[in-house]
Amino acid sequence: MQVLSKMTSVPVTCIEYAHPWTTSCTVATAELMIVGVQYCLRIYAAVYALSLVMRGRIPTLAELKKTIRGWLQSTAFLTTNAYSYMMITCLVRRMLGSFNFYTVSYLPAFFAAFVSIMVERSSRRGLLALYVSNVATETLWNILQSRGVVRSIPHGEIAIFGLSTSVLMYCYRRNRQKDYRDSMFDVVRFAIGDSEVMKGDVGTQQAAVTDAESTRTERSTTAPATRKPGSSYPFIQAVLRAYLQLTGRLKALGKHKLCRHRHSCLYDTLSSGVRMFSMGLGIQVVMKLVLQLRKFIARPALIRKTFLNKEIARLGLFLGGFTSIYKMSSCLLRHFTDSDSPLFAFPSGLLASLAFGFYADNTIALYIMWKTLQITYNWGIDQGYLPKVPGFTVLLYSASTALLFHAATIEPKNLRPSYWKFLHSISGGRICIMDRSGFDAYGLDTTGQIRTMMNLCKTEPILQGRLS
């Protein structure tokens, strides 16, 4: 077969390609709107309900009204993205008379995304742009790799995570969170604490540390004696005494005069690592219980097999290892150089990122990368180094979403499987019966890729007969 140029037009109508199940563009658009509303209402109901539960208190009437408005507005946003894609695809075909490689999906998807994101609340646009940019970055890399333009780098996700985290930690040590109130800084503060934040000059820091030490010493000398435990449970008492003695000795070990943590460097490193390891392990255990509860009830033997598997500790090893290595290396740098600097974030961050190998994940690495780029871009604007692009968030969302829709149409093997399943669900399976055979002339074996991707999803019963 002769491979056509990307700009060469393919004489395919929107009926043959976009909606072969109906001859009416209006009916096809309406169907996607109805299916999309049903799907989006379910998805966002769970999202907004979870946000209420996470507050940990009974919501007020005003909060309930705001939540319902947000639920309906987000549903309208995502539904608009679905049905306007079909509508604009048909309009492009009528205006241009044919499709080519770029107008078959990217152009309609860009305009559909642009229109839909304007429906969503402005406070959520940045989060949405960050998410689709994350997925689009991975998709673009897969596209370039499939064409032989780039090659995969072993442990590349660790390198991306390490570089991004180092810059993020540098911003945190410079106390940038007071200028850019980003949720990512809250995560860093929870894991690392405030002891790694540079506040004032060195003299001020030393004075603050000295005052804090004297205050703690005074409190310890005036504190009342702890009541001795009773005579019950001698084994537990012995273990408790041994634990208190061990932690007491660790706390009493030395630390550098510029270290701002309360106790010794070794205790701070170990306690922070254990705390984050426990949290990571707890998250994994809870997730396993929630997601596999039915299996555990049906087959209780799976409980032992699941929770004794070393895979369940991977998240904990990553979180605990990252925190411990970062704190330990920061303290060592202060000891060796007898100084403190925000630049210590780079070697400490790079060393700590080695722990990411326990839980290496492209999604996490790319999310951290885009978050770091966002913070750095805002800093560059404030310093006058970079221009502020009006509507940048909207344009980023539109371009990224268009790339994802384009990949789903022409070369879905390069798309993240979870995103393909999302498109399949929101379209009611119609994404599978769009007839792409006319675009096989571009040499990407589009039809073969679609058959492969169809195996990932169960198609809606009303459409199964049309997929044969």
Side-chain angles (χ1 to χ4, degrees):
M1 178 188 298
Q2 181 182 1
V3 178
L4 298 180
S5 168
K6 298 296 188 294
M7 296 301 297
T8 303
S9 298
V10 176
V12 175
T13 66
C14 60
I15 296 176
E16 296 169 333
Y17 149 60
H19 47 87
W21 63 89
T22 178
T23 58
S24 172
C25 301
T26 304
V27 170
T29 301
E31 285 181 349
L32 279 176
M33 182 173 64
I34 294 171
V35 173
V37 166
Q38 297 174 4
Y39 175 79
C40 296
L41 283 173
R42 293 197 306 269
I43 293 298
Y44 280 115
V47 171
Y48 280 91
L50 181 61
S51 68
L52 287 177
V53 172
M54 293 296 290
R55 296 179 182 180
R57 56 182 172 80
I58 299 176
T60 64
L61 182 60
E63 289 175 337
L64 285 174
K65 290 181 178 179
K66 184 179 179 180
T67 299
I68 293 174
R69 284 197 301 268
W71 171 41
L72 296 177
Q73 189 170 3
S74 295
T75 298
F77 144 72
L78 197 53
T79 304
T80 301
N81 208 342
Y83 77 78
S84 62
Y85 170 73
M86 178 64 70
M87 179 177 65
I88 297 175
T89 298
C90 296
L91 289 176
V92 168
R93 169 64 178 80
R94 293 194 179 191
M95 292 173 60
L96 301 181
S98 62
F99 291 111
N100 62 36
F101 187 80
Y102 301 102
T103 62
V104 65
S105 186
Y106 190 91
L107 188 64
F110 181 89
F111 287 116
F114 186 88
V115 171
S116 64
I117 195 64
M118 301 306 292
V119 177
E120 182 59 284
R121 289 176 297 163
S122 57
S123 60
R124 282 181 47 82
R125 292 173 188 171
L127 182 63
L128 292 167
L130 190 68
Y131 169 72
V132 294
S133 298
N134 185 331
V135 185
T137 302
E138 181 180 343
T139 303
L140 179 60
W141 178 270
N142 292 337
I143 291 174
L144 295 176
Q145 184 174 295
S146 68
R147 287 158 171 70
V149 178
V150 297
R151 295 173 58 186
S152 290
I153 303 173
H155 308 297
E157 68 279 4
I158 299 179
I160 293 174
F161 179 84
L163 292 173
S164 303
T165 302
S166 299
V167 176
L168 184 65
M169 290 299 182
Y170 173 79
C171 295
Y172 182 70
R173 289 176 71 97
R174 289 291 300 269
N175 208 16
R176 292 270 170 75
Q177 58 270 24
K178 66 180 181 181
D179 301 318
Y180 311 112
R181 300 187 181 279
D182 196 284
S183 59
M184 182 54 65
F185 286 128
D186 294 331
V187 176
V188 175
R189 182 182 294 106
F190 180 80
I192 304 299
D194 290 325
S195 62
E196 296 298 329
V197 179
M198 301 287 293
K199 297 177 180 178
D201 56 17
V202 175
T204 304
Q205 294 167 23
Q206 286 185 244
V209 172
T210 304
D211 292 343
E213 287 293 333
S214 62
T215 302
R216 286 195 298 272
T217 303
E218 182 179 348
R219 288 178 179 175
S220 63
T221 56
T222 59
T226 305
R227 184 171 59 88
K228 294 183 179 180
S231 58
S232 304
Y233 309 109
F235 175 75
I236 296 178
Q237 293 179 39
V239 172
L240 181 59
R241 281 196 299 268
Y243 170 76
L244 292 176
Q245 290 176 0
L246 176 61
T247 55
R249 291 178 180 178
L250 288 175
K251 290 178 181 179
L253 294 176
K255 69 173 185 174
H256 194 270
K257 60 185 177 182
L258 294 178
C259 288
R260 287 170 295 278
H261 43 76
R262 291 186 57 188
H263 303 292
S264 69
C265 297
L266 182 58
Y267 178 81
D268 185 63
T269 297
L270 293 177
S271 61
S272 299
V274 170
R275 176 173 62 88
M276 294 306 296
F277 171 79
S278 302
M279 176 159 293
L281 182 62
I283 291 173
Q284 288 286 80
V285 169
V286 171
M287 291 297 292
K288 292 288 185 181
L289 286 173
V290 171
L291 297 178
Q292 301 187 35
L293 183 59
R294 290 185 178 180
K295 292 183 179 180
F296 292 154
I297 295 175
R299 299 173 58 189
L302 285 177
I303 298 177
R304 178 183 177 85
K305 182 179 180 180
T306 300
F307 293 114
L308 292 182
N309 193 322
K310 62 181 181 180
E311 294 294 316
I312 202 170
R314 290 175 57 201
L315 179 59
L317 290 172
F318 158 52
L319 295 177
F322 179 88
T323 304
S324 296
I325 296 173
Y326 183 84
K327 282 182 165 286
M328 178 184 65
S329 56
S330 296
C331 289
L332 289 175
L333 286 169
R334 284 189 285 267
H335 278 278
F336 289 150
T337 64
D338 198 27
S339 63
D340 197 7
S341 170
L343 294 176
F344 289 171
F346 289 99
S348 298
L350 290 174
L351 282 174
S353 66
L354 295 177
F356 190 57
F358 289 113
Y359 199 75
D361 184 84
N362 289 338
T363 303
I364 296 176
L366 291 174
Y367 178 81
I368 298 295
M369 182 192 75
W370 276 103
K371 265 295 184 184
T372 304
L373 288 174
Q374 179 189 24
I375 294 170
T376 306
Y377 175 65
N378 290 335
W379 175 82
I381 293 174
D382 290 344
Q383 298 297 316
Y385 299 139
L386 297 173
K388 184 175 182 178
V389 180
F392 178 78
T393 300
V394 173
L395 293 175
L396 180 62
Y397 174 84
S398 302
S400 300
T401 304
L403 177 64
L404 297 176
F405 274 61
H406 184 77
T409 302
I410 298 296
E411 41 192 319
K413 71 175 183 180
N414 294 317
L415 192 65
R416 187 181 294 179
S418 60
Y419 200 81
W420 170 265
K421 292 179 180 179
F422 160 72
L423 293 177
H424 180 276
S425 298
I426 198 172
S427 67
R430 287 163 178 79
I431 189 175
C432 291
I433 58 174
M434 294 171 67
D435 187 1
R436 293 126 162 127
S437 59
F439 307 113
D440 286 336
Y442 292 121
L444 297 175
D445 187 28
T446 301
T447 303
Q449 292 188 41
I450 293 298
R451 293 196 186 98
T452 302
M453 299 301 290
M454 282 168 55
N455 295 328
L456 295 175
C457 309
K458 294 181 179 179
T459 307
E460 298 293 328
I462 61 171
L463 301 176
Q464 285 181 351
R466 297 183 180 273
L467 295 175
S468 58

